């Protein structure tokens, strides 16, 4: 309960009258024109704005990612901004196919200085803006609709007059009715059309009309209605590129942009990982990867998200939160056991597919982390709540142990108990330690001292296994026969009166590659009480690995606590 009258203090946002709205039936089918505003909107929102060197590193990053439009700053607002723009131009750091965009208010001296900053530039987008919402008109400017419209027209006129001073530049005007999402759509249209009338764009020389949700004041469907309404009512729609610029005040900036694209927009402004005023600008990385996840090429190089993130975090000092889509530390991490099991099944199925581009279908993972430079390693971390599949996954993926499926519960429980005992997650190496200390080469109370295998006959197969062992400190020689070394050893134990079990499972596989390959063998036995125990043996010699596995299973069975009442 709030100690104030909610209905009085706040009110619902008015809807747009658009009963035949079309955007809900549309789908995004191609990438928009992207424009990064990291160096302007993002930068102006930093406690410590970027230095020229930092802006330069970010500029190079954005160019490398494939951005063709980059807002580099507001050159007339400060010496640093001016110097940065000049540096880009004079040092020829801007590729021919990249347009630099500069922001400007509708004031003569600022417009003139911006023009000065652009001398010698190739592709230029001159970005004029003024605020149009009723709130801004009344509170900030104390002006009526006509006066606000005149600001936009006069700014356009000044830019038109100065346009010939950049004869060699490919010049585009962008106009933003700032706070568009909080402006009456009819009025926003009126101002934009007045700007167009002054500028006289054409189908081959389009103006960019950027329609910002400067403050996100409503649900994304309302923004989409505003965009569709605007596109449908604009007189010369084919003379304009409609651009979106959403902020994230309600936490739905991404959704607003996506619905705005359905509603007919052509272009999207935003920043990497959503840095920007207050709750941030639109996160272009998220929108672009959402497209990729739907099979649409976003036309941006996003294959190394950790690198992008490192460069952004270092220069902006804005950390990416752990659950940030695609880029956060935890977004490819699963803590829940059932999730881990499902992920392992999905990954295993994929491994069996010959085509590396086969349709991605792994439960809980919307995309292949590998596609954006994230690794499978981070997917599963083990705590006391984790499932057996997660433990098996780590042992296989990180350490090369392909445990038999019926062994997963036994190993999973042991490792989970260990995590519970330590009251924290286990690292991959700790999981390996927990597994090996409990299941691998367990040599007490039964210890195999030496052995020899002799093939007695090939058909039928008969092997004699001889050697010496120690049980509870007592050393004995042994000899047994069977159709393989394992059965021969079981027979030897039987002759010594030590056989208190039946063999119920046996598997083995190679670990690693090359000449130093070792074998891992897994043997399951069932004791007289019907309880089953797995043991594992590892050796460069496959026979010895099997015998060690049997000894391990035997020792685990005799070391197991007696069940109640037995
Ligand atoms: O959020 C906004 O409205 C802006 C404008 C200057 C486009 O950043
Ligand atoms: Zn903005």
């Amino acid at each position: 309960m709030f100690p104030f009258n909610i209905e009085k203090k706040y009110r619902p946002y008015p809807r747009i009258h658009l009963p035949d709205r079309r955007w809900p039936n549309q789908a995004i089918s191609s990438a928009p024109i992207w424009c990064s505003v990291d160096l302007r909107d993002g930068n102006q929102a930093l406690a410590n704005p970027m230095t020229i060197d930092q802006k330069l590193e970010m500029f190079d990053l954005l160019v490398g990612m494939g951005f063709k439009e980059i807002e580099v700053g507001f050159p007339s607002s400060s010496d640093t901004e001016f110097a940065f723009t000049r540096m880009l131009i004079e040092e020829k750091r801007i590729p021919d196919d990249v347009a630099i965009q500069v922001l400007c208010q509708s004031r003569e001296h600022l417009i003139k200085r911006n023009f000065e900053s652009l001398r010698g530039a190739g592709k230029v987008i001159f970005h004029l803006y003024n605020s149009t919402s009723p709130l801004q008109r009344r509170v900030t400017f104390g002006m009526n609709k006509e006066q606000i419209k005149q600001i936009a027209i006069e700014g356009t006129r000044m830019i038109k007059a100065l346009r010939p001073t950049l004869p060699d530049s490919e010049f585009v005007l962008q106009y933003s009715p700032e706070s568009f999402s909080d402006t009456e759509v009819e009025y926003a249209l009126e101002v934009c059309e007045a700007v167009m009338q002054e500028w006289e764009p054409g189908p081959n020389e389009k103006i960019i009309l950027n329609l910002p949700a400067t403050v996100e004041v409503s649900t994304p469907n309302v923004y989409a209605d505003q965009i569709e309404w605007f596109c449908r009512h604009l007189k010369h729609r084919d003379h304009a590129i409609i651009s979106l610029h959403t902020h994230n005040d309600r936490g739905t900036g991404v959704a607003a942009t996506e619905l705005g694209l359905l509603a007919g927009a052509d272009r999207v402004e935003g920043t990497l990982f959503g840095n920007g005023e207050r709750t941030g600008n639109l996160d272009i990385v998220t929108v672009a990867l959402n497209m990729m996840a739907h099979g649409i090429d976003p036309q941006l190089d996003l294959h190394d998200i950790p690198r992008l993130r490192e460069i952004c975090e270092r220069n902006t000092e804005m950390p990416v939160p752990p659950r940030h889509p695609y880029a956060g530390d935890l977004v490819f991490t699963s803590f829940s056991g059932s999730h881990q099991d499902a992920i392992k099944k999905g990954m295993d199925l994929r491994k069996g597919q010959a085509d590396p581009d086969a349709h991605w279908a792994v439960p809980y993972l919307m995309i292949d982390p590998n596609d954006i430079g994230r690794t499978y390693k981070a997917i599963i971390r083990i705590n006391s709540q984790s499932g057996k599949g997660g433990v098996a996954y780590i042992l296989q993926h990180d350490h090369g142990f392909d445990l038999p499926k019926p062994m997963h519960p036994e190993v999973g429980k042991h490792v989970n108990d260990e995590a519970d005992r330590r009251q924290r997650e286990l690292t991959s190496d700790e999981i390996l330690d927990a597994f090996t200390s409990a299941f691998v080469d367990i040599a007490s109370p039964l210890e195999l001292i030496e052995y020899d295998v002799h093939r007695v006959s090939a058909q039928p197969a008969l092997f004699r296994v001889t050697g010496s062992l120690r049980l509870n400190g007592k050393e004995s020689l042994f000899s047994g026969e069977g159709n393989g070394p394992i059965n021969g050893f079981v027979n030897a134990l039987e002759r010594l009166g030590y056989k208190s079990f039946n063999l119920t499972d046996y598997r083995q596989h190679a670990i690693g590659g090359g000449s130093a390959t070792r074998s891992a063998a897994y043997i399951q036995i069932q004791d007289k009480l019907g309880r089953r125990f797995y043991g594992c043996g590892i050796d460069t010699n496959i026979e010895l690995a099997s015998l060690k596995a049997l000894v391990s299973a035997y020792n685990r069975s005799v070391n197991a606590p007696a069940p109640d009442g037995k």
Side-chain angles (χ1 to χ4, degrees), residues 363-374:
Y364 299 108
L365 295 184
M366 207 179 54
I367 63 161
D368 182 347
N370 220 17
D371 291 342
I372 57 169
R374 309 287 308 264

Side-chain angles (χ1 to χ4, degrees), residues 40-41 103 127 129 176 178-179 210 212-214 245 247 269:
R40 196 278 300 172
D41 217 350
L103 182 78
H127 182 183
Y129 78 100
S176 295
E178 201 212 76
S179 56
N210 186 48
T214 304
H245 177 114
H247 282 263
E269 291 194 348

